Amino acid sequence: MWTSLKNKAKDLGFISLGISRPIRPLYFDSFQRWISEHKHADMRWLEKSIEKREDPSKLLKGCSAVISLAFPYSSEKPQTPDGFCAARYSSPQQEDYHRRLKKLCYELTEIITEAYAGSRFKVCVDSSPIMEKTLAISAGIGFMGKNTLLIIPGYGSYFFLAEILTTAPMEVQAQKPVGNLCGDCTRCIDACPTGALRGPFILDASRCLSYLSIEHKGKIRTDVARKMGRCFFGCDRCQEACPFNNGKTGADVSLPSTEEILGMDNKAFQRRFGNTALARAGLEKIKSNLEAVKHCS
Ligand code: SF4
Ligand code: SF4
């Protein structure tokens, strides 16, 4: 069954998968410390879900295994014809990855059900209280880089993570977690324009451009906008600097012009971006970010 699952996952486009037990995740203490030091900015929902993050089986009664999966996104950065850009993962030409990957994961559950009839599942794609990176490490998928992102040796970090929690009594062979392979490198920390990477493995979300340009509700301050360069949604600089991404780069002019975006009303925004990852920030936030970076560029 594991071989069929792996083959099907590969056919669906996943680049890696692994399995672990739903036990207290690796580095959970570091996560708790990060919260207690208020490095999570105003993402209060993280405080409310600590118990579930500590015990993945709280997300699915009777959970016996967690399958972690990695799905690639393009290394080309979405760009407007006049050179303003958004984070790679937010491709405006694709359906929002939350929905896209959930559908693919549910296709995989069919294989598990064939082997273990009556199994139950919970599929998580970046919106459930689960420590997806450390579970992926336990499943042998990759290691945590000093930029706090999961890195797959030989591939890099341009991918999404998803998890299938299941009650199926699947065999879980203990994996030796992939150890950190950063060595003496500090390129991500050096490249971070705001000092959000306070040191190896320490992210201060309140300074992170990715948080400030997507999750944060307020307006972008001028001093922050200056550090965003021409990127108005997210920030990939600590990934671009990483040698594991092999200098993969490039732009994809898939965004409308800045004039068109700034002239959109909600109806036009929904029509153009409603199904994409850009919708997460909402029209007002996107317009406000774009105005801020245009003003400073
Ligand atoms: S996403 Fe940008 S601002 Fe955030 S840690 Fe990485 S380089 Fe720094
Ligand atoms: S840039 Fe260097 S230190 Fe940072 S995650 Fe990549 S290899 Fe590790």
Side-chain angles (χ1 to χ4, degrees):
M1 198 278 293
W2 184 244
T3 305
S4 321
L5 194 69
K6 271 171 98 167
N7 290 341
K8 177 79 177 175
K10 196 173 163 203
D11 289 348
L12 292 173
F14 289 98
I15 46 174
S16 185
L17 86 165
I19 187 165
S20 63
R21 288 270 175 239
I23 55 175
R24 193 175 200 261
L26 280 173
Y27 313 136
F28 183 76
D29 293 339
S30 306
F31 170 70
Q32 267 189 316
R33 197 162 49 246
W34 184 71
I35 295 282
S36 64
E37 289 172 359
H38 304 291
K39 293 202 167 68
H40 58 305
D42 58 6
M43 294 184 280
R44 292 279 144 73
W45 41 271
L46 285 169
E47 294 164 24
K48 292 181 188 147
S49 56
I50 287 183
E51 280 181 23
K52 285 186 183 146
R53 285 174 201 274
E54 183 171 20
D55 179 2
S57 68
K58 284 203 161 75
L59 293 172
L60 176 73
K61 199 164 181 233
C63 177
S64 61
V66 181
I67 299 163
S68 294
L69 299 122
F71 193 89
Y73 56 80
S74 172
S75 57
E76 295 194 339
K77 224 166 169 168
Q79 195 171 295
T80 65
D82 44 347
F84 291 88
C85 55
R88 285 172 175 76
Y89 77 86
S90 68
S91 171
Q93 291 175 312
Q94 288 189 303
E95 186 185 21
D96 181 5
Y97 65 95
H98 297 89
R99 286 191 288 270
R100 204 158 30 101
L101 295 196
K102 269 196 177 174
K103 284 182 213 157
L104 298 180
C105 287
Y106 277 114
E107 282 195 46
L108 288 176
T109 65
E110 288 167 17
I111 291 184
I112 303 172
T113 303
E114 276 170 25
Y116 302 104
S119 301
R120 288 177 291 110
F121 304 96
K122 177 164 178 69
V123 170
C124 308
V125 182
D126 197 25
S127 56
S128 298
I130 187 163
M131 292 189 60
E132 54 180 10
K133 287 182 272 186
T134 62
L135 285 165
I137 294 169
S138 298
I141 287 185
F143 69 92
M144 180 84 79
K146 289 180 189 171
N147 58 6
T148 75
L149 298 171
L150 193 78
I151 296 174
I152 299 179
Y155 182 79
S157 60
Y158 294 144
F159 59 85
F160 303 108
L161 281 172
E163 299 76 40
I164 301 174
L165 279 64
T166 180
T167 57
M170 296 173 71
E171 193 184 334
V172 179
Q173 292 190 342
Q175 292 280 345
K176 192 167 179 281
V178 183
N180 176 268
L181 297 176
C182 292
D184 294 337
C185 177
T186 56
R187 288 195 212 177
C188 52
I189 298 168
D190 303 338
C192 177
T194 61
L197 288 170
R198 309 298 292 157
F201 316 110
I202 304 171
L203 175 74
D204 181 348
S206 68
R207 291 174 176 233
C208 177
L209 296 177
S210 196
Y211 161 77
L212 290 167
S213 64
I214 301 171
E215 303 286 344
H216 179 58
K217 300 289 174 234
K219 281 200 164 214
I220 295 283
R221 295 193 319 255
T222 307
D223 60 315
V224 173
R226 277 196 201 104
K227 292 176 175 161
M228 289 167 72
R230 294 172 81 84
C231 191
F232 64 91
F233 180 93
C235 166
D236 285 338
R237 278 189 245 178
C238 53
Q239 299 200 79
E240 287 159 0
C242 181
F244 283 94
N245 285 327
N246 283 329
K248 279 183 225 151
T249 182
D252 168 22
V253 184
S254 52
L255 287 164
S257 70
T258 51
E259 281 71 25
E260 190 180 337
I261 299 173
L262 291 172
M264 281 179 175
D265 58 15
N266 268 321
K267 222 167 159 185
F269 181 74
Q270 282 307 316
R271 213 167 34 238
R272 183 70 178 78
F273 296 126
N275 249 346
T276 74
L278 288 156
R280 183 177 176 90
L283 175 60
E284 289 318 310
K285 179 77 174 159
I286 298 246
K287 276 189 184 180
S288 158
N289 290 354
L290 194 47
E291 270 160 1
V293 294
K294 271 193 94 164
H295 180 71
C296 294
S297 68

